[in-house]
Amino acid sequence: MDSLVYLLGGFATALEPMNLVFAAIGVLLGTAVGVLPGIGPALTVALLLPVTFKLDPGGSLIMFAGIYYGGMYGGSTTAILLNTPGESASVVTALEGNQMARRGRGGPALATAAIGSFVAALIATLGLAFLAPLLVKVAVKFGPWDYFGLMLIAFVTVSATFGSSPLRGLTSLAIGLWLGLIGIDQLTGQTRLAFGVPNLFDGIEVTTLAVGLFAIGEALHVVSRHLRTSEKPIAIKGSIWMSREDWSRSWKPWIRGTALGFPIGALPAGGAEIPTFLSYTMERKLSKKPEEFGTGAIEGVAGPEAANNASAAGTLVPLLTLGLPTSATAAVMLAGFQQYNLQPGPLLFVQYPALVWGLVASLFIANVMLLVLNLPLVGLWVRLLKIPVPWLYAGILVFASMGTIAANPSVVELLLLLGFGFLGFLMRRYDYPIAPVVVGLILGPLADSALRRSLQMSLGDPMILLQHPGSAIMIGIATLALVAPFLFRGLAKFRQDED
Amino acid sequence: MIQPATTGFHRPTLIIGVALFAIAAITFNDARNMNIRASYGMGADAASYFVAAFLAILGVGHLFAAFRPGIEAEQAAWKAFSWVVLGLFGLVGAIWLGAGFILASTLLFVFTARAFGRRALIKDAAIGAVLAIGIFLLFNKILTLALPMGPFERLF
Amino acid sequence: MTFFANRLVAACLATFVAIGPAAAQDLEVSILAPAGAGGGWDSAARSLQQVMMSTGNARSVQVVNVPGAGGTVGLAQFVQSAEGSPNQMLVGGITMVGAIITNGAPYDLTNVTPIARLTGDPLVIAVPASSPYQTMADLMAGIEGNVERTIWAGGSAGGADHILAALVTQAAGQDPAKVNYVAYSGGGEALAAMLGGQVTAGISGYGEWQGQIESGDLRALAISYPEPIEGIDAQPLKAQGYDIELVNWRGIFAGPGISDEDKAVLEEAVSNTVQSAEWQELIAARGWSDYYAGSEEFTDFIASEAERVHEVLSSIGLAN
């Protein structure tokens, strides 16, 4: 009950005209910068941090909330329209979203992403307001063995992004895992596959890989077929709004995506990518039209986008209650708090209730503003596809390389970007799926360090993975998911034989 | 989709298979030469061995697949393709030589537009330059993030 | 209201300093932060940028980010590009000293010209609230009794946290190579492992865990600073009878082969900046401690740090 009173007080703070203006500026800036590929919410917030220096803590944090959520929204726009995910959590969105956009359904794809993000953020922010203390107790109990179990489940579900051939899908995944090895191992300091190049010591940047494979690979692929097929994406076919069918196919994925994204986002090492993978798999399995997956199924946009945004609110749970920055964005947010000598942590809710609840309330407001801003923009964004093809792809390449140049202006990084571009081109040409590479790069190092931390704590005894109920159950689920299809097939064959 | 190849042998698949073996060998060799050992549990080399083995198995899979009819990649417009590649290397080269962000990006824009069949060089260059200058001003002035400087950047 | 009073003082100081030497006023410098935007060295560079400009010690300051390999990528680029340059500076710190050694970097900090040491933060040794260890002596006895079961959580391998864990293990009479140190990507993830009770003890920058220490979720046993710090209850290791000190310092450097006059100009601009009320206010807000030392003292300090860090890293098998 106390929470509710505080929350209402928070709304009173956030609804002050000046604070509304700050929220609006934040939302606009966040969307504008977040739309640029390769510039995810973390860099957006880091870059815009100085802008907030001059404001009072309340106003600045409110603007922050706007930038944060705005950056999250922006990332999906380019993923859908241009097959150029701006950040790793939008990779899955690009799978179905871009297929929809190519078929003239970019409007509904953007709309379901925007409304899904709104619904997810709304529910997740409610969760943040009322469940945070409870959730965080569970989250810190999550040991490395539990993370390893979660990674195994994620690995098994990745097969949903494989496309037609398991051999080619697994090869893509293996390339991602291989890229994930590169760099200094965090646990021991051992260098792997860096060949003495210092720029490789920190490993392959996920955004560089994603932008290279998707944006540059796509441009190379299109140009190689341009004169022959002269295919042009269809900007609009039918209504740019969601049809009744779109709505009825979207609302359940929104809820399910939120249910996956929020708790996993709240885990100290959960992140935003894993829930998007899991959501995609889940929607594919549950969809009434699974055959549409791969050619633009709206569920495949609605679910992952909701999961992505819910996990963003989930990240705030450990940040506000423990002072635990669990993502790059949260780390930058922490710096934002610290510039006012506020230490997020167990005492923040007690010491500065007005500020914290003002922030939570402004998250709600930023969310509403984003919806109001983005829905009318859908029509405008879709027109991007009407830009003549030469300029469109020239622009995509300029923006894609700019993202890398801005984040890390080194020639080596640019050459990596180009290399990944060629890889993406070749993979498209020979029909290898792209997404598993990114998945492998993200999950590989996580699974590696979770397993090794577990074994380090047990002094090398692998039984530790089965001694903890959480990890034992998750490993069980993963094994079942891996074996079940074969079992069913065997069973079906068996029955056939009986007939 | 799948067109039967004229021979019962698919060369790209074979090449990919051999490439996978090569990567596996490099990874295996890299893991063998690691000198920092973990005091407890598993070392950093374990994951390398795992991935090397995985790649090798996939390599075998590709060798088998190579003797089955595969998908023939369509004819590509290599000339247009090279224009984009030239543009991309132009960008890297320009940044490497210190020509700055604006020139590099304009170069990329013009070459890509050329690849897609445009010949209006001046118009494209103007559009590319305006785009690059806009991005540059946004980053350097508003966000105070330094993009590579060159002769044009110093004018602002 | 005190805020406005402070601002007023700062503004007055700024105008006062602005009447200083003409050379400093016209200074246009670029500071290379060898880390990505938002990281520790980046915020140090940007803080310095902000205060140098607002106090009039420089006309314009630009921050350039060159991330990679614990700062050694930025260092290498700086050594090559800033030779003799009067207006380029580099931010660095103890992590860079370690990274140079473990990465076998081609350049080290003797290749650049130390201008000033700026800040130095204490590391804290803490245990979860539920831990049976009440004092540093308890923890030491625990290490002595069973070094492998004493599991540490901290930042990445070979970093300052790891070095401190090795020093403590050594002081407890055990082989530092045997320290069971579980590396995490930063203070945040290590904190989760502490709160979840998965590890015995942990090490982090004091500021990162301050909230949990004050709320009682973590018990701070000691800090690694040489002297007690006002507002921190945990006592230095030295005061508790263990001869260990380790400060997470950050400093600023100029390029190799810079002339004495140019160096003097930079030194003066930095020292004036650091003495300003604005700088003190800003570092307090960020939770940093002032650890200023001039060029000469800083140069000697780096030499002794490099030697010490090398020794510890060799003992844990990360350097030869």
Side-chain angles (χ1 to χ4, degrees), chain A residues 186 188 202 322 324 338 346 453 456, chain C residues 68-69 180-181 183 188 212 215 285:
Chain A
Q186 200 180 60
T188 57
D202 286 349
L322 296 176
L324 237 181
Q338 282 165 339
R453 282 192 191 116
Q456 198 178 345
Chain C
N180 193 348
Y181 181 84
Q212 284 67 34
S215 71

Side-chain angles (χ1 to χ4, degrees), chain A residues 331 333-344, chain C residues 207-208 282 284-287:
Chain A
M333 296 271 280
L334 187 66
F337 278 97
Q338 282 165 339
Q339 66 177 325
Y340 296 109
N341 216 1
L342 296 171
Q343 186 65 40
Chain C
E208 281 188 81
L282 191 133
R286 296 205 162 231

Side-chain angles (χ1 to χ4, degrees), chain A residues 42-43 46-47 49-50 53 139-146 184-191 198-202 268-269 321-325 331-332 334-335 337-347 351 406-410 453 456-459, chain C residues 7 36-38 46 50 64-70 72-73 77 102-103 106 148-149 151 155-158 162 179-193 195-199 207-212 214-215 217 284-287 318:
Chain A
L43 196 56
L47 292 177
L49 191 62
F53 269 138
V140 294
K141 288 282 176 218
F142 226 74
W145 33 85
D146 299 313
I184 294 177
D185 167 47
Q186 200 180 60
L187 270 76
T188 57
Q190 171 69 51
T191 317
N199 300 69
L200 291 178
F201 283 3
D202 286 349
T321 51
L322 296 176
L324 237 181
V332 184
L334 187 66
F337 278 97
Q338 282 165 339
Q339 66 177 325
Y340 296 109
N341 216 1
L342 296 171
Q343 186 65 40
L347 300 179
Q351 284 172 344
N408 184 357
S410 90
R453 282 192 191 116
Q456 198 178 345
M457 289 180 185
S458 71
L459 305 184
Chain C
R7 270 288 154 97
R46 283 177 199 272
Q50 190 187 338
V64 182
N65 298 89
V66 183
T72 53
V73 174
Q77 183 176 325
T102 51
N103 296 349
E148 13 185 87
R149 285 276 167 204
I151 303 169
S156 53
H162 195 176
V179 61
N180 193 348
Y181 181 84
V182 184
Y184 288 89
S185 61
E189 260 188 78
L191 176 60
L195 296 174
Q198 293 141 18
V199 293
E208 281 188 81
W209 289 1
Q210 188 177 7
Q212 284 67 34
E214 284 171 6
S215 71
D217 290 315
R286 296 205 162 231
L318 284 176

Side-chain angles (χ1 to χ4, degrees), chain A residues 135-444:
Chain A
L135 202 60
V136 82
K137 280 205 188 89
V138 184
V140 294
K141 288 282 176 218
F142 226 74
W145 33 85
D146 299 313
Y147 281 112
F148 184 66
L150 183 65
M151 296 311 152
L152 283 189
I153 294 184
F155 267 123
V156 173
T157 57
V158 163
S159 58
T161 58
F162 275 1
S164 54
S165 153
L167 178 66
R168 291 197 289 270
L170 284 172
T171 306
S172 294
L173 183 68
I175 292 171
L177 291 175
W178 184 77
L179 291 171
L181 290 175
I182 296 174
I184 294 177
D185 167 47
Q186 200 180 60
L187 270 76
T188 57
Q190 171 69 51
T191 317
R192 292 191 283 210
L193 292 168
F195 311 108
V197 179
N199 300 69
L200 291 178
F201 283 3
D202 286 349
I204 303 293
E205 193 68 48
V206 181
T207 43
T208 306
L209 178 73
V211 171
L213 282 180
F214 279 91
I216 298 187
E218 174 86 0
L220 288 171
H221 186 60
V222 170
V223 78
S224 80
R225 317 173 358 145
H226 175 61
L227 299 175
R228 169 181 299 270
T229 55
S230 71
E231 70 178 47
K232 184 172 169 9
I234 309 156
I236 303 166
K237 192 174 124 196
S239 166
I240 69 160
W241 298 114
M242 289 166 68
S243 67
R244 183 179 286 271
E245 196 206 345
D246 291 334
W247 278 96
S248 74
R249 284 175 65 180
S250 287
W251 72 270
K252 279 189 209 150
W254 292 338
I255 309 281
R256 285 193 287 256
T258 311
L260 282 172
F262 181 60
I264 296 181
L267 289 178
E273 296 90 2
I274 294 168
T276 61
F277 303 150
L278 293 178
S279 167
Y280 182 78
T281 314
M282 188 187 239
E283 296 315 328
R284 197 185 163 115
K285 291 260 186 300
L286 293 176
S287 171
K288 290 205 182 78
K289 294 186 175 170
E291 71 281 1
E292 275 190 22
F293 272 78
T295 58
I298 195 164
E299 293 95 335
V301 181
E305 263 309 294
N308 179 4
N309 273 57
S311 81
T315 311
L316 294 177
V317 172
L319 181 70
L320 293 179
T321 51
L322 296 176
L324 237 181
T326 57
S327 65
T329 322
V332 184
M333 296 271 280
L334 187 66
F337 278 97
Q338 282 165 339
Q339 66 177 325
Y340 296 109
N341 216 1
L342 296 171
Q343 186 65 40
L347 300 179
L348 187 71
F349 273 86
V350 185
Q351 284 172 344
Y352 305 98
L355 201 76
V356 177
W357 290 101
L359 176 69
V360 173
S362 50
L363 287 174
F364 279 107
I365 289 167
N367 205 12
V368 176
M369 280 185 173
L370 275 167
L371 192 69
V372 174
L373 178 77
N374 275 282
L375 281 184
L377 277 181
V378 165
L380 192 72
W381 286 128
V382 172
R383 271 190 208 111
L384 265 185
L385 296 181
K386 287 194 169 171
I387 297 175
V389 169
W391 291 341
L392 181 66
Y393 281 99
I396 290 177
L397 286 180
V398 167
F399 277 112
S401 53
M402 176 222 62
T404 302
I405 295 172
N408 184 357
S410 90
V411 173
V412 178
E413 195 75 16
L414 279 171
L415 287 174
L416 278 176
L417 183 75
L418 258 62
F420 294 142
F422 289 125
L423 183 65
F425 165 71
L426 289 174
M427 291 178 75
R428 278 178 174 79
R429 192 167 159 78
Y430 294 106
D431 197 26
Y432 284 74
I434 307 283
V437 185
V438 184
V439 173
L441 178 66
I442 293 169
L443 291 184

Side-chain angles (χ1 to χ4, degrees), chain C residues 88-149:
Chain C
Q88 290 188 54
M89 294 201 283
L90 167 83
V91 174
I94 189 166
T95 320
M96 196 188 265
V97 175
I100 290 167
I101 298 166
T102 51
N103 296 349
Y107 300 103
D108 61 25
L109 291 177
T110 56
N111 294 104
V112 289
T113 312
I115 295 294
R117 190 175 68 193
L118 299 171
T119 61
D121 304 332
L123 300 180
V124 65
I125 299 172
V127 292
S130 58
S131 164
Y133 299 142
Q134 299 296 327
T135 63
M136 194 62 207
D138 293 345
L139 177 62
M140 288 305 230
I143 299 171
E144 209 178 349
N146 196 342
V147 66
E148 13 185 87
R149 285 276 167 204

